[in-house]
Amino acid sequence: MPVISAPHAFNEGNLFIDLESSFGCRLYLKCEGFNFAGSIKLKAANEMVEGAERDGTLTPDSILVESSSGNLGVALSMIAASKGYRFLCVTDSRCNLSTRLLMEALGSEVHVVADLDTNGGFLGTRLDYVRGLCASDDRYVWLSQYTNAQNWRAHFRTTAPEIAEHFPRLDALFIGTGTAGTLMGCARYFREWHRPVRIVAVDSVGSVAFGGEPGRRMIPGLGMSMRPPLLDETYVDEVIRVEEADTIRTCHRLARRGFLFGGSTGTVVSAATAWLARHGTPDLTAVAIAPDLGERYLDTIYQTNWLEDLYGDGMLDSAQVNPS
């Protein structure tokens, strides 16, 4: 058992769930929510902060600022509290209430934007606000998870090797796409590996990360209202877009097996199980990455009134069948 003095010093990176008994296909789920930040974003946050400290961008007088739909904001809040930095998270109305309260409990300031950008999302509005802050006061340091190479390097250095160690004969890897940090770090790592791995990027319907028309997206985590600057599609073999209704049904199906995961995980598992139903073979080894757990989604995707208000009555009916 490790003994630590800083919260970012601990992360459980070696926990996988075999989902065959739940979904009838050979799929392993890499669980990234077991750390004090509660998500995979701890890896990127720590790498970006340490990089800014090394190059002198971040000093004791700095005020960290970042745009986040939730999980990166929590990770940076935790690291800032541990290291003694001030932190301002710029988020939007889709950010879960529990996530905003958690950032504030850690001593961070949270600013919520309300105006949609030209693509029907909030990202452009959040970024404009961050840029305005940085222009107004040079104490603000914007790590910019959307363009910071330390984002993908964190996963090249940690997430991908953790998967490779446990699954030396990996055939397919399913990765949710937001900033594309996890996707690009893992894709770059496995491009150099000893055998080919099919990299399947998972996106939400309504996201324009891989092109297409923008649409309503109510579940934070995956998807973008712009093309991710870190994205290089030459490393991606296939893209699967998932409807939010399928995300929610998958989350509830996992919950009935005792596994409470967040919306991003529901999206990735939905895509992976559908793909395996079409392409899977008994000897194929597939892994999907679960970015976080589900406690922060109790007032959204696990709350009946929220679901019915947004998606109508009976949207969970097809998920009520026992999956066994």
Side-chain angles (χ1 to χ4, degrees):
M1 180 66 67
V3 177
I4 62 172
S5 57
H8 50 278
F10 171 77
N11 182 67
E12 176 52 69
N14 297 303
L15 176 62
F16 296 82
I17 298 173
D18 184 346
L19 292 181
E20 186 167 9
S21 63
S22 299
F23 289 89
C25 57
R26 193 177 180 197
L27 177 66
Y28 299 95
L29 188 62
K30 187 180 194 304
C31 301
E32 289 282 352
F34 291 96
N35 56 58
F36 285 97
S39 82
I40 196 170
K41 289 293 189 178
L42 174 62
K43 292 176 173 178
N46 195 45
E47 201 85 11
M48 290 190 296
V49 168
E50 290 188 348
E53 289 174 332
R54 285 194 301 270
D55 66 22
T57 303
L58 193 57
T59 68
D61 294 329
S62 298
I63 305 171
L64 280 168
V65 60
E66 186 57 86
S67 159
S68 171
S69 61
N71 281 338
L72 183 73
V74 172
L76 286 173
S77 293
M78 187 194 77
I79 293 171
S82 174
K83 291 175 173 279
Y85 296 118
R86 292 173 59 189
F87 172 55
L88 168 60
C89 181
V90 181
T91 188
D92 59 67
S93 56
R94 292 181 308 181
C95 180
N96 299 322
L97 175 61
S98 58
T99 300
R100 299 202 301 267
L101 293 175
L102 179 53
M103 287 188 279
E104 291 171 347
L106 288 165
S108 298
E109 182 181 350
V110 180
H111 178 82
V112 181
V113 304
D115 296 330
L116 295 171
D117 59 29
T118 55
N119 281 326
F122 293 98
L123 180 56
T125 309
R126 294 191 337 225
L127 296 183
D128 286 344
Y129 188 86
V130 172
R131 292 187 185 104
L133 282 177
C134 294
S136 69
D137 190 333
D138 59 11
R139 290 178 301 166
Y140 284 105
V141 173
W142 180 22
L143 297 175
S144 186
Q145 62 167 324
Y146 311 101
T147 59
N148 193 326
Q150 301 300 336
N151 185 346
W152 69 259
R153 288 187 181 120
H155 303 287
F156 185 94
R157 188 176 63 82
T158 61
T159 308
E162 289 162 0
I163 295 169
E165 179 183 359
H166 285 269
F167 299 96
R169 296 194 60 80
L170 180 66
D171 296 296
L173 179 60
F174 299 86
I175 310 167
T177 308
T179 65
T182 308
L183 173 65
M184 296 314 302
C186 291
R188 282 185 165 93
Y189 181 92
F190 284 109
R191 176 67 64 86
E192 302 172 5
W193 209 35
H194 67 90
R195 57 170 303 181
V197 175
R198 187 164 188 82
I199 300 296
V200 182
V202 180
D203 199 10
S204 300
V205 170
S207 163
V208 301
F210 294 91
E213 292 296 317
R216 184 186 77 163
R217 292 181 294 113
M218 300 305 299
I219 302 173
L222 293 191
M224 292 271 278
S225 56
M226 69 178 190
R227 180 181 174 83
L230 295 177
L231 178 62
D232 182 345
E233 288 189 62
T234 64
Y235 288 91
V236 178
D237 296 300
E238 188 174 348
V239 179
I240 300 177
R241 294 176 173 86
V242 177
E243 296 277 0
E244 286 193 333
D246 292 326
T247 291
I248 292 163
R249 292 185 184 108
T250 302
C251 285
H252 282 256
R253 186 167 175 175
L254 283 162
R256 290 198 309 279
R257 290 290 190 173
F259 296 115
L260 196 72
F261 284 104
S264 298
T265 299
T267 305
V268 175
V269 171
S270 177
T273 53
W275 189 93
L276 289 167
R278 298 190 301 269
H279 305 290
T281 60
D283 61 343
L284 187 146
T285 301
V287 170
I289 297 176
D292 61 3
L293 302 178
E295 292 92 337
R296 295 173 194 169
Y297 302 81
L298 292 176
D299 57 348
T300 54
I301 62 176
Y302 294 105
Q303 215 281 328
T304 302
N305 291 338
W306 187 87
L307 293 176
E308 291 180 350
D309 287 346
L310 291 173
Y311 304 99
D313 296 342
M315 73 89 53
L316 289 176
D317 288 349
S318 63
Q320 299 305 318
V321 180
N322 193 313
S324 61

